[in-house]
Amino acid sequence: MAKHDAESAFPAKDYHDPPPAPLVGFDELARWSFYRAVIAEFVATVLFLYVSVMTVIGYESQIDPNNGGSGCDGVGSLGIAWVFGGMIFVLVYCTAGISGGHLNPAVTFGLFLARKVSLIRTLMYMVAQCLGAICGVGLVKALQSSYFNKYGGGANRLAVGYSKGVGLGAEIIGTFVLVYTVFSATDPKRNARDSHVPVLAPLPIGFAVFVVVLATSPITGTGINPARSFGAAVIYNNNAVWDDQWLFWVGPFIGAAIAAFYHKYIIRAAAVKAFGSHRSNA
C-alpha cells in the first residue's frame, strides 16, 4: 500500500521528452516547415544585427568629442546591453514556434549535440544565421556609411590590454551562460515539475544575453554569437577584426558544448538518479 501511495504521489513519468532528432535528417528537406524555419532564422538575424549594430554605432557617435559628445551622452553600456537582451527576447518570442528561435550558431550547435536538431537543420540554420547577420550589418552600412566606417562597424575585437586567453575565456563562459539558460528555459521536465512557476522561455534567454553583454563587452565587445561577429567582420572587413575572428567561433562553440554536456549528463542525469533513489526509499 505504501509503495502504491508513493507511486501515486511521484508518478514515474509526469512529463514527456521529445524523441531525439534524427542524426542527419535528410527527410526534412522535403518539408515546407523546414524551409519556413530557415527563413525565420534568416529574417530574425537580419533584424537582430540591424538594431544592435545600429545602436552601437549610434552610441559611439554620441560620445565622440569631435561631435560635441561626452561619456555621459547616449544610451551607455547599460542601454546597449538592454538592446541586445531585449531584441533577443522579442525575436525568440516571435520565432520560437517556427524555428525554435536560435538566432545563433552556438545555440544551434549546442542543441545539435543534445540531439534536439538534426545535422541538416544545424547546417542550414548556421548558413541562414550568418547570411542574415551579413545582410543586417549591410543594411546598417547602407544607411549609415560614414558613421559605420568611422566607428568600427560594430565589429567584435579583443580590447587593448587583454590577452587572447582572457578573451577566449570570456567568450566560453558567456556562451555557456546563454546556452545553459536556453536548455533550462526549454526543458520539458522543468516545465512539468515546476508548472506552478510559469516560465516564459524568451524572457530568461533575453536576460542571459543582457547580463553577459554587461560582463564581456569591455573585453571582446561581446560575441557569444559567431554569426553576429562574422557578419560585422565581413561588412567592415578590417585586418585587426579578422585577426581576432577565431575567438568568436572557438569560444562560443566550446561554451555551447560544455553547456550541452552539463545540462544533459549532469543536471538531467542527477535529477533522474535522485528521483529514482527517492522512490526506492519510499
Side-chain angles (χ1 to χ4, degrees), residues 141-220:
K141 184 174 183 179
L143 298 174
Q144 297 279 355
S145 59
S146 58
Y147 281 178
F148 181 88
N149 293 318
K150 184 176 181 180
Y151 298 113
N156 292 121
R157 71 197 77 185
L158 187 65
V160 176
Y162 291 98
S163 68
K164 301 283 188 183
V166 171
L168 182 63
E171 289 297 305
I172 291 173
I173 296 172
T175 309
F176 174 86
V177 171
L178 170 60
V179 178
Y180 177 46
T181 303
V182 170
F183 276 109
S184 298
T186 59
D187 188 346
K189 182 172 185 177
R190 173 177 177 170
N191 292 338
R193 297 287 176 83
D194 299 338
S195 58
H196 60 287
V197 182
V199 176
L200 180 61
L203 186 59
I205 294 170
F207 266 108
V209 172
F210 168 74
V211 298
V212 170
V213 170
L214 287 178
T216 61
S217 59
I219 303 172
T220 61

Side-chain angles (χ1 to χ4, degrees), residues 85-132:
M87 278 302 291
I88 290 297
F89 166 67
V90 169
L91 294 171
V92 171
Y93 177 81
C94 291
T95 60
I98 303 171
S99 66
H102 298 189
L103 284 74
N104 184 335
V107 171
T108 303
F109 179 67
L111 294 173
F112 168 70
L113 294 180
R115 295 292 302 275
K116 304 291 186 181
V117 293
S118 68
L119 178 62
I120 292 294
R121 187 174 291 263
T122 297
L123 295 177
M124 290 296 290
Y125 273 20
M126 288 182 178
V127 170
Q129 291 155 358
C130 289
L131 290 177

